[in-house]
Amino acid sequence: MNKTALISGINGMDGSHLAEFLLDKGYTVYGIERRSSIKNRTNTKHLEDKITFLQGDLTDQNSLLRCLKESKPDEVYNLAAQSFVGESWNTPEFTSDVTGLGVLRILEAIREYDPTIKFYQASSSEMFGRMVENPATENTPFYPRSPYGVAKLYGHWITKNYRESYDMFACSGILFNHESERRGIEFVTRKITNGVARIHLGLDDHISLGNLDAQRDWGYSPDYVEAMWLMLQQDTPDDYVIATGETRSIREFLDEAFSVIGISDWTPYIKIDSRYLRPAEVDVLLGDFSKAHKNMGWKPRTSFSELVKIMVNNDINLIRHDITDNTNHQ
C-alpha cells in the first residue's frame, strides 16, 4: 500500500498487534514510545528491525509534533493511555492528563502539522460505565464510573469536536474489552490465565481476585485492530462500537481458564481480596457491533473459549521457558 502509519502506545497489546497487521498490509510503521532508561519492548521485540521507534509523550505536545515531522504519516493511531482502570483511582490527575488531554495534544499537533492526516482514537466501553441501555450502540448515553472512563470520554468528545470543527478525518473506535496473550499482567484476564498456568505448573496454589460477578464483552485484540484500520479506510469518518455482542462473567472466564488444565471446580484456588474491589463497580458491559458489520463488513472471528485457551497455553509456555532458562543459568 506504500502508506505510513504512526502508532502511539506501540509497545502495548493493541499497538503491537496493530503494527503486525499494518506491516502485513505493506505499511511503513513508526511507533511512539516514552523515553526510558529501560525499553519496554516485550510485545514488539520481534518487530524491532521492521518498525522505527520515535521518542514522544502524550503529556508533551512538542514531542508529538516532532514525531509527526519525522514520520510524515498518512494515518495516526492513538493507542497510548494510562489504561489500567483500577489504577485510575490512585492516579486520577495523571490518568486525566495522559488519557484525556493527551488526545487533545495529538489532535492539535496533527492540525498544526497536516490536518489531512487520518486519525484514530482508542475510545473505550468504560465510557458507558453504568449502562443505561443494553447492549450499547454508538448512540447510547455515556455514564463513566471511573477516572479512566471520564478521561476516555473527554478524548472521545474532543476527537468528535475536531472532526466537526476542522473537517479532520478523525474516528473513535469504542472498543469493548479485548484481550490477548500480550495483555499486561495487572489486568484481571491475564492475572487469571497466568495464575492458572502457575497452578498447573505447581508454582502457586491460589489466585487473589475481587468481584467475580462483573460481566464483560470480551474479544480478541488481533480481531479488533483490523476494525481500527477499517475505520480509516472508509469514505467518511465516523465512530464505531467494536464488540462481540456476548457477555461473560469473571466466573465464566475462570470456568474456561481452569478447564484448559483439566480442573472443573476452581473454588479452592480462588481467594477474594477486598483490595481488588473498585469504589464504583461497572457491573455489565455489552456492545452492539451491527453498525461496524453493516458499514465495514467487520465481525469478531475468535470465540471466547478460543481466546481464553490461547492465553492460558501461552502463559504455560512462557513460564516453562522461564523455568528452563533459570535452570540453564544456574
Side-chain angles (χ1 to χ4, degrees):
M1 283 195 173
N2 298 323
K3 282 185 182 177
T4 298
L6 176 65
I7 304 170
S8 73
I10 185 94
N11 293 321
M13 174 184 73
D14 284 350
S16 61
H17 287 302
L18 178 62
E20 285 174 341
F21 179 86
L22 294 176
L23 287 167
D24 286 344
K25 292 274 181 199
Y27 276 65
T28 300
V29 176
Y30 289 81
I32 300 176
E33 62 180 2
R34 281 176 297 173
R35 196 203 71 75
S36 171
S37 53
I38 301 169
K39 300 296 182 191
N40 179 22
R41 294 183 182 170
T42 307
N43 291 333
T44 50
K45 195 161 182 58
H46 62 300
L47 301 173
E48 282 185 326
D49 59 339
K50 297 176 182 174
I51 56 184
T52 304
F53 292 92
L54 304 175
Q55 286 189 6
D57 198 303
L58 288 188
T59 62
D60 186 285
Q61 191 175 316
N62 278 335
S63 72
L64 300 172
L65 192 55
R66 282 196 300 273
C67 289
L68 289 170
K69 288 177 178 175
E70 209 164 324
S71 59
K72 300 179 177 61
D74 301 288
E75 300 170 358
V76 171
Y77 296 85
N78 182 37
L79 310 185
Q82 188 300 96
S83 59
F84 186 40
V85 178
E87 175 59 24
S88 73
W89 274 282
N90 297 326
T91 56
E93 187 179 340
F94 173 73
T95 299
S96 301
D97 191 21
V98 175
T99 306
L101 284 173
V103 186
L104 171 65
R105 293 187 189 103
I106 201 163
L107 281 165
E108 264 296 285
I110 290 170
R111 186 174 77 86
E112 196 176 312
Y113 171 68
D114 178 3
T116 65
I117 291 170
K118 292 185 174 183
F119 176 74
Y120 171 84
Q121 165 59 14
S123 286
S124 167
S125 59
E126 289 284 336
M127 300 186 311
F128 293 118
R130 194 164 88 184
M131 290 183 68
V132 298
E133 185 177 76
N134 207 340
T137 70
E138 293 79 6
N139 299 316
T140 299
F142 298 115
Y143 197 140
R145 298 269 285 168
S146 65
Y148 170 80
V150 174
K152 275 291 185 185
L153 189 50
Y154 176 86
H156 180 80
W157 279 115
I158 202 69
T159 300
K160 194 180 183 79
N161 183 253
Y162 269 59
R163 176 168 76 217
E164 295 174 356
S165 302
Y166 301 116
D167 198 27
M168 291 169 68
F169 197 110
C171 303
S172 286
I174 307 171
L175 272 56
F176 277 69
N177 294 65
H178 52 289
E179 313 296 330
S180 90
E181 58 277 22
R182 298 178 191 169
R183 175 55 90 188
I185 204 81
E186 71 274 20
F187 288 80
V188 68
T189 47
R190 182 74 195 289
K191 189 177 180 182
I192 290 170
T193 61
N194 179 70
V196 166
R198 291 182 66 81
I199 288 166
H200 177 63
L201 296 170
L203 300 173
D204 279 336
D205 59 7
H206 73 278
I207 309 168
S208 295
L209 297 172
N211 178 17
L212 303 187
D213 296 314
Q215 296 179 48
R216 296 292 182 266
D217 182 331
W218 273 302
Y220 188 43
S221 176
D223 294 349
Y224 284 36
V225 298
E226 180 189 18
M228 299 176 187
W229 174 76
L230 283 168
M231 284 178 217
L232 298 195
Q233 313 315 309
Q234 303 307 301
D235 293 333
T236 46
D238 208 346
D239 304 328
Y240 292 91
V241 164
I242 303 299
T244 69
E246 296 177 0
T247 185
R248 312 278 183 152
S249 68
I250 302 285
R251 292 178 190 278
E252 288 174 275
F253 199 102
L254 288 163
D255 286 340
E256 291 288 349
F258 275 95
S259 74
V260 176
I261 62 168
I263 292 174
S264 55
D265 178 15
W266 44 259
T267 49
Y269 302 98
I270 302 300
K271 289 185 179 176
I272 303 302
D273 189 329
S274 60
R275 288 178 301 168
Y276 301 119
L277 298 173
R278 297 178 180 181
E281 184 56 75
V282 173
D283 299 317
V284 181
L285 286 175
L286 177 63
D288 177 354
F289 67 92
S290 54
K291 178 180 168 183
H293 183 57
K294 182 185 172 193
N295 290 11
M296 307 190 297
W298 182 88
K299 62 180 180 182
R301 287 193 291 267
T302 309
S303 73
F304 177 68
S305 59
E306 286 172 329
L307 159 68
V308 180
K309 191 178 292 183
I310 288 167
M311 291 178 69
V312 172
N313 285 329
N314 186 72
D315 276 326
I316 289 170
N317 290 333
L318 278 178
I319 295 165
R320 274 194 181 135
H321 185 264
D322 286 348
I323 293 169
T324 306
D325 265 10
N326 289 338
T327 305
N328 290 341
H329 287 120
Q330 282 173 3

